[in-house]
Amino acid sequence: MPSLSNILSRSTDLHTPDREWLHQLVGDWQLIADFAFVDLVLLVPAKDGRLLICAVARPATASTVLDNDVVGTAIDPQAAELVRAVLESGEQRTFYMHGLTYTCYPVRRKEGEPFAVFAELRGDAEDVDSTLLHSSYAQIEHLLLGMVSSGDFPLLDTPAGFRHGTPRVTDGFTHLDADGAVIFSSPNATSNMHRLGVRAAVEGQILAEQIVSVIDDRTELDESLPVVLMGRAPWLTELELHGVVVAFRAVPLISEGKRVGAILLSRDVTEIRRREMELVTKDATIREINHRVKNNLQTVSALLRMQARRASDPEVIEDLSQAQRRVETIALVHQILSQSIDESVNFDEIFTPLLAMSTDIAATGVPVRAVQRGSFGNVGASRSTSLAVVLNELVSNAVEHGLPNGGNIEVIVNREGSHLHIEVLDDGVGIGAEGIHQGLGTKIVRTMIEGELRGSIEWKNRAEGGTGVYIEFDVADVEP
């Protein structure tokens, strides 16, 4: 599928700084589409001489005139000649073609030459009655387009990544003059101010002063709040008052190198932040549960170890030791889960110590070398425990029964997407004529592979000697 990165890198000769500038422009040009009530297209000259549409923005404040996806397509030669004139002259041009009015502006970096064209597309029918709109809409559109042409937009200090809940034009905006006084406040912005206790954003008054007047001494303030409320820097901030959280984003408006005003976008993000806090609390609770489960399992493991030391029957000692090892394996998984907030874990972090533990405990005075080749990648938390128990059983069984005189164990992992293929290979005695030993360990492995992981497992003698165990399953969690 065509993307901005692919088009710019494969189809154009633009230098890296120019490509990066276009990425920043496209990342923030929804502002212009929403204030202008028009579709936007970004045109770049291709290596073969054509002009390609490399990005499109549709307004959230009006209907679109582009019903189809046009990204990656070239405009027709007649329109290309008119657009190319904008690149060559560096001046705005307007033309009518195929039922659309194209208003084209040059795109340049500060004090640089034009290297792309930014076009507004309007249909024959006006979707929005401009006579009903406040003049701030047209003023802001004019200033933003001028900033694109002069290299002042996108704004260099704009945050690289916007947080969830970043204000948009439709959430509410206030037009400020160079001193921070209100020129116009949209109805949604007025509602946002009311949530904070500011009864009205009165035209001609300094907005920052009105907001500061309702802040009590106990409120913790972001030090960037005054700068944002005055529209002096393109920053983001939030203000929490009386249980209400409002996000603010300032967009300075620049003309002829001077700041002539600003847009202050605002959004009530109270519910968004409340849900985020619930998720943080949930994650902390899950981590704490995993931590306690790990501690309890380690206690059980220690009790089993103590009981095994007191026992005199060799079979009882062996059974208790195996049970202790299985509990220790599950405890290891919960230890890793207690350190992560994700619903999946890097299983290599679990298996590396598990492999060492399994070989050290199972090996009784004989040299055993175990290695892992390949990577498991991330595995869902619900499947990590089952996989860890399975691999612990297979490695321990290989050491105890397949390598009585020592040897080598190799765990080969091949992952394709969410599909895992695992081979546990040893160079020991192999499988005897009686076949696979049908003990508790084998039953556990089969149950977890076929039942819990819904995969397949197979034991085979290797041609070069020893045993190979082959496992396949999908790591994606499946609802029972």
Side-chain angles (χ1 to χ4, degrees), residues 221-255:
L221 299 179
D222 184 347
E223 60 183 14
S224 66
L225 180 65
V227 178
V228 173
L229 294 180
M230 294 293 289
R232 292 179 177 172
W235 297 343
L236 285 163
T237 189
E238 291 183 1
L239 176 60
E240 182 175 357
L241 284 176
H242 319 299
V244 175
V245 185
V246 174
F248 293 100
R249 180 195 172 195
V251 181
L253 297 172
I254 300 170
S255 178

Coordinates of all heavy atoms in Angstrom, one line a residue, residues 221-255:
L221 N 0.3 23.1 39.3 CA 0.2 23.6 38.0 C 1.5 23.2 37.2 O 2.6 23.1 37.8 CB 0.1 25.1 38.0 CG -1.1 25.7 38.7 CD1 -1.0 27.2 38.7 CD2 -2.4 25.3 38.0
D222 N 1.2 22.9 35.9 CA 2.4 22.7 35.0 C 3.0 24.0 34.8 O 2.3 25.0 34.5 CB 1.8 22.1 33.7 CG 2.9 21.7 32.7 OD1 4.1 22.2 32.9 OD2 2.6 21.0 31.7
E223 N 4.3 24.1 34.9 CA 5.0 25.3 34.7 C 4.9 25.9 33.3 O 5.1 27.1 33.1 CB 6.5 25.2 35.0 CG 7.2 24.2 34.1 CD 8.7 24.0 34.5 OE1 9.1 24.4 35.6 OE2 9.4 23.4 33.7
S224 N 4.5 25.1 32.3 CA 4.3 25.6 31.0 C 2.9 26.2 30.8 O 2.6 26.8 29.7 CB 4.5 24.5 30.0 OG 3.5 23.5 30.1
L225 N 2.0 26.1 31.8 CA 0.6 26.5 31.6 C 0.5 28.0 31.2 O -0.2 28.3 30.2 CB -0.2 26.3 32.9 CG -1.7 26.7 32.8 CD1 -2.4 25.8 31.8 CD2 -2.3 26.5 34.2
P226 N 1.2 29.0 31.8 CA 1.0 30.4 31.4 C 1.4 30.6 29.9 O 0.8 31.4 29.2 CB 1.9 31.1 32.4 CG 2.0 30.2 33.6 CD 2.0 28.8 33.0
V227 N 2.5 29.9 29.5 CA 3.0 30.1 28.2 C 2.0 29.6 27.2 O 1.8 30.2 26.1 CB 4.4 29.4 28.0 CG1 4.9 29.5 26.6 CG2 5.4 29.9 29.0
V228 N 1.4 28.4 27.5 CA 0.4 27.9 26.6 C -0.8 28.7 26.5 O -1.4 29.0 25.4 CB 0.1 26.4 27.0 CG1 -1.1 25.9 26.2 CG2 1.3 25.5 26.9
L229 N -1.3 29.2 27.7 CA -2.5 30.0 27.7 C -2.4 31.3 27.0 O -3.4 31.9 26.5 CB -3.0 30.2 29.1 CG -3.4 28.9 29.9 CD1 -3.9 29.3 31.3 CD2 -4.6 28.2 29.2
M230 N -1.2 31.8 26.9 CA -0.9 33.1 26.2 C -0.6 32.8 24.7 O -0.5 33.8 24.0 CB 0.3 33.8 26.9 CG 0.0 34.3 28.3 SD -1.2 35.6 28.4 CE -0.3 36.9 27.6
G231 N -0.5 31.6 24.4 CA -0.3 31.2 23.0 C 1.1 31.5 22.5 O 1.4 31.8 21.3
R232 N 2.1 31.5 23.4 CA 3.5 32.0 23.0 C 4.4 30.8 22.5 O 5.4 31.1 22.0 CB 4.1 32.7 24.2 CG 3.4 34.0 24.5 CD 4.0 34.7 25.7 NE 3.4 36.0 25.9 CZ 3.7 36.8 27.0 NH1 4.5 36.4 27.9 NH2 3.0 38.0 27.1
A233 N 4.0 29.6 22.7 CA 4.8 28.4 22.3 C 3.9 27.3 21.9 O 2.8 27.1 22.5 CB 5.8 28.0 23.4
P234 N 4.2 26.5 20.9 CA 3.4 25.4 20.5 C 3.5 24.2 21.4 O 3.9 23.1 21.0 CB 3.9 25.1 19.1 CG 5.4 25.4 19.2 CD 5.5 26.6 20.1
W235 N 3.0 24.3 22.6 CA 3.2 23.3 23.6 C 1.8 22.7 24.0 O 0.8 23.3 23.7 CB 3.9 23.7 24.8 CG 5.3 24.2 24.6 CD1 6.1 23.9 23.5 CD2 6.1 25.0 25.4 NE1 7.3 24.5 23.6 CE2 7.4 25.2 24.8 CE3 5.9 25.6 26.7 CZ2 8.4 25.9 25.4 CZ3 7.0 26.4 27.2 CH2 8.2 26.5 26.6
L236 N 1.9 21.6 24.7 CA 0.7 21.0 25.3 C 0.7 21.0 26.8 O 1.8 20.9 27.4 CB 0.6 19.5 24.9 CG 0.2 19.1 23.4 CD1 0.6 17.7 23.1 CD2 -1.3 19.3 23.3
T237 N -0.4 21.2 27.4 CA -0.5 21.1 28.9 C -1.9 20.7 29.3 O -2.8 20.7 28.5 CB -0.1 22.5 29.5 OG1 0.1 22.3 30.9 CG2 -1.1 23.5 29.2
E238 N -2.0 20.4 30.6 CA -3.3 20.1 31.1 C -3.5 20.8 32.4 O -2.6 21.1 33.2 CB -3.5 18.6 31.3 CG -3.5 17.8 30.1 CD -3.7 16.3 30.3 OE1 -3.8 15.9 31.5 OE2 -3.8 15.5 29.3
L239 N -4.8 21.1 32.7 CA -5.2 21.8 34.0 C -6.3 21.0 34.6 O -7.3 20.7 34.0 CB -5.6 23.2 33.7 CG -6.1 24.0 34.9 CD1 -5.1 24.1 36.0 CD2 -6.6 25.4 34.5
E240 N -6.1 20.6 35.9 CA -7.1 19.9 36.6 C -7.7 20.8 37.7 O -6.9 21.2 38.6 CB -6.5 18.6 37.2 CG -7.6 17.8 38.0 CD -7.0 16.4 38.4 OE1 -5.9 16.1 38.1 OE2 -7.8 15.7 39.1
L241 N -8.9 21.0 37.7 CA -9.6 21.8 38.7 C -11.0 21.2 39.1 O -11.7 20.8 38.2 CB -9.9 23.2 38.2 CG -8.7 24.2 38.2 CD1 -9.2 25.5 37.5 CD2 -8.1 24.4 39.5
H242 N -11.2 21.0 40.4 CA -12.5 20.5 40.8 C -12.9 19.2 40.2 O -14.0 18.9 39.9 CB -13.6 21.6 40.5 CG -13.2 23.0 40.8 ND1 -12.8 23.5 42.0 CD2 -13.1 24.1 39.9 CE1 -12.5 24.7 41.9 NE2 -12.6 25.1 40.7
G243 N -11.9 18.3 40.0 CA -12.2 17.0 39.4 C -12.3 17.0 37.9 O -12.6 16.0 37.3
V244 N -12.1 18.2 37.2 CA -12.2 18.3 35.8 C -10.8 18.5 35.2 O -10.0 19.2 35.7 CB -13.1 19.4 35.4 CG1 -13.1 19.6 33.9 CG2 -14.6 19.2 35.9
V245 N -10.5 17.7 34.1 CA -9.2 17.9 33.5 C -9.5 18.4 32.1 O -10.2 17.8 31.3 CB -8.5 16.5 33.4 CG1 -7.1 16.7 32.8 CG2 -8.4 15.9 34.8
V246 N -8.8 19.5 31.7 CA -8.9 20.1 30.4 C -7.5 20.2 29.8 O -6.6 20.6 30.5 CB -9.6 21.5 30.4 CG1 -9.5 22.1 29.0 CG2 -11.0 21.4 30.9
A247 N -7.4 19.6 28.6 CA -6.1 19.7 27.9 C -6.1 20.9 27.0 O -7.1 21.3 26.4 CB -5.9 18.4 27.0
F248 N -4.9 21.6 26.9 CA -4.8 22.8 26.1 C -3.6 22.5 25.2 O -2.6 22.0 25.5 CB -4.5 24.0 27.0 CG -5.6 24.5 27.8 CD1 -5.7 24.1 29.2 CD2 -6.7 25.2 27.3 CE1 -6.7 24.5 30.0 CE2 -7.7 25.6 28.1 CZ -7.8 25.3 29.4
R249 N -3.8 23.0 23.9 CA -2.7 23.0 23.0 C -2.6 24.4 22.3 O -3.6 24.8 21.8 CB -2.8 21.9 21.9 CG -1.7 21.9 20.9 CD -2.0 21.1 19.7 NE -0.9 21.3 18.7 CZ -1.0 21.0 17.4 NH1 -2.1 20.5 17.0 NH2 0.0 21.3 16.6
A250 N -1.5 25.0 22.3 CA -1.3 26.3 21.7 C -0.6 26.2 20.3 O 0.3 25.4 20.2 CB -0.5 27.3 22.6
V251 N -1.1 27.0 19.4 CA -0.5 27.0 18.0 C -0.3 28.5 17.7 O -1.2 29.2 17.3 CB -1.5 26.4 17.0 CG1 -0.8 26.5 15.6 CG2 -1.8 25.0 17.3
P252 N 0.9 29.0 17.9 CA 1.2 30.4 17.6 C 0.9 30.7 16.1 O 1.2 29.9 15.2 CB 2.7 30.6 17.9 CG 2.9 29.5 18.9 CD 2.1 28.3 18.5
L253 N 0.4 31.9 15.8 CA 0.2 32.3 14.4 C 1.2 33.3 14.0 O 1.4 34.3 14.8 CB -1.3 32.9 14.3 CG -2.4 31.9 14.6 CD1 -3.7 32.6 14.6 CD2 -2.4 30.7 13.5
I254 N 1.9 33.1 12.9 CA 3.0 34.0 12.6 C 2.8 34.6 11.2 O 2.3 33.9 10.3 CB 4.3 33.1 12.5 CG1 4.6 32.5 13.9 CG2 5.5 33.9 12.1 CD1 5.7 31.5 14.0
S255 N 3.1 35.9 11.1 CA 3.0 36.6 9.8 C 4.3 37.5 9.7 O 4.6 38.3 10.6 CB 1.8 37.4 9.8 OG 1.7 38.1 8.5

